Amino acid sequence: MKRLSWDQYFMAQSHLLANRSTCPRLAVGATIVRDKRIIAGGYNGSISGGVHCVDEGCYIIDGHCVRTIHAEMNAIIQCAKFGVATQGAEIYVTHFPCLQCCKAIIQSGIKTVYYATDYRNHPYAVELFDSANVKTKKVPFNNFFEHDNQAEKLKLFANIMKKLESAGVEEDEIKELYRQAQNIFSHDV
């Protein structure tokens, strides 16, 4: 069994949190860590008890959904709500923080931002992180749920389909098998 590094462990937690997102535009998760311990987590979504974008649609003003709270903000607010200090902590985020989250991260005393994916990295956010001595580090997420033999599965499936076609299986049946396989293989990654 391969053991996850700390960075992959905390990034996996952020990706797991992103699955709670109620934003249909982009699912983001954030995990705040201090001394190799998770102290808070957040995902982007509506306020507690509020209407969710997945149910009612996004409330867009100037190209941004104003209904949602970003994952980083939710995690920082969770710390404030429960009296957990963020000074000197680290945050693991699925996507590079927006400008507003960048400022909140700096103000909260978080010293390192680990992110898996570049996403509209605002030059001023990068500048602010630099000037506040907040380190940023890209940590691509290696999804340990993915199967290492995905290519082998696809090759086997293609060979089986060729044999079925040459055996005279109806075209509609072949198309349905392709559709089912596409569902299975797209959920594997």
Side-chain angles (χ1 to χ4, degrees):
M1 182 175 142
K2 183 180 173 186
R3 188 174 187 203
L4 291 175
S5 69
W6 284 113
D7 285 347
Q8 285 300 308
Y9 172 73
F10 296 128
M11 195 58 77
Q13 176 67 32
S14 294
H15 278 80
L16 184 62
L17 283 161
N19 284 294
R20 289 279 306 151
S21 172
T22 60
C23 176
R25 298 172 74 203
L26 181 69
V28 179
T31 304
I32 300 177
V33 174
R34 192 178 55 242
D35 300 325
K36 300 288 185 238
R37 299 290 176 258
I38 296 170
I39 60 173
Y43 53 88
N44 57 328
S46 301
I47 60 168
S48 298
V51 172
H52 296 288
C53 295
V54 292
D55 298 327
E56 303 267 331
C58 293
Y59 184 9
I60 306 292
I61 297 177
D62 295 329
H64 298 283
C65 181
V66 296
R67 180 175 284 138
T68 59
I69 300 171
H70 290 187
E72 303 93 323
M73 292 285 207
N74 265 330
I76 291 167
I77 291 167
Q78 187 180 75
C79 286
K81 186 175 184 177
F82 294 107
V84 178
T86 53
Q87 185 66 41
E90 303 169 320
I91 190 166
Y92 288 78
V93 191
T94 56
H95 297 76
F96 191 86
C98 74
L99 184 55
Q100 297 306 315
C101 287
C102 158
K103 293 188 266 186
I105 288 166
I106 292 167
Q107 288 299 96
S108 72
I110 290 172
K111 289 298 175 193
T112 308
V113 176
Y114 298 96
Y115 64 98
T117 305
D118 289 302
Y119 182 74
R120 300 180 182 174
N121 301 26
H122 197 287
Y124 189 52
V126 173
E127 182 183 328
L128 286 174
F129 280 142
D130 287 343
S131 66
N133 293 320
V134 173
K135 296 178 197 152
T136 58
K137 182 179 178 191
K138 187 172 184 176
V139 177
F141 177 56
N142 300 322
N143 189 345
F144 54 90
F145 291 115
E146 287 180 0
H147 300 287
D148 293 335
N149 58 354
Q150 183 79 354
E152 292 174 28
K153 288 180 187 178
L154 288 169
K155 188 176 179 181
L156 173 64
F157 176 76
N159 287 335
I160 291 170
M161 295 308 291
K162 284 179 187 173
K163 290 189 186 276
L164 288 174
E165 287 173 20
S166 22
V169 174
E170 296 285 324
E171 186 179 335
D172 288 345
E173 284 184 77
I174 298 283
K175 284 182 182 177
E176 177 58 20
L177 290 171
Y178 271 112
R179 187 195 64 73
Q180 289 175 16
Q182 185 177 17
N183 253 352
I184 291 168
F185 286 112
S186 67
H187 286 95
D188 263 357
V189 286

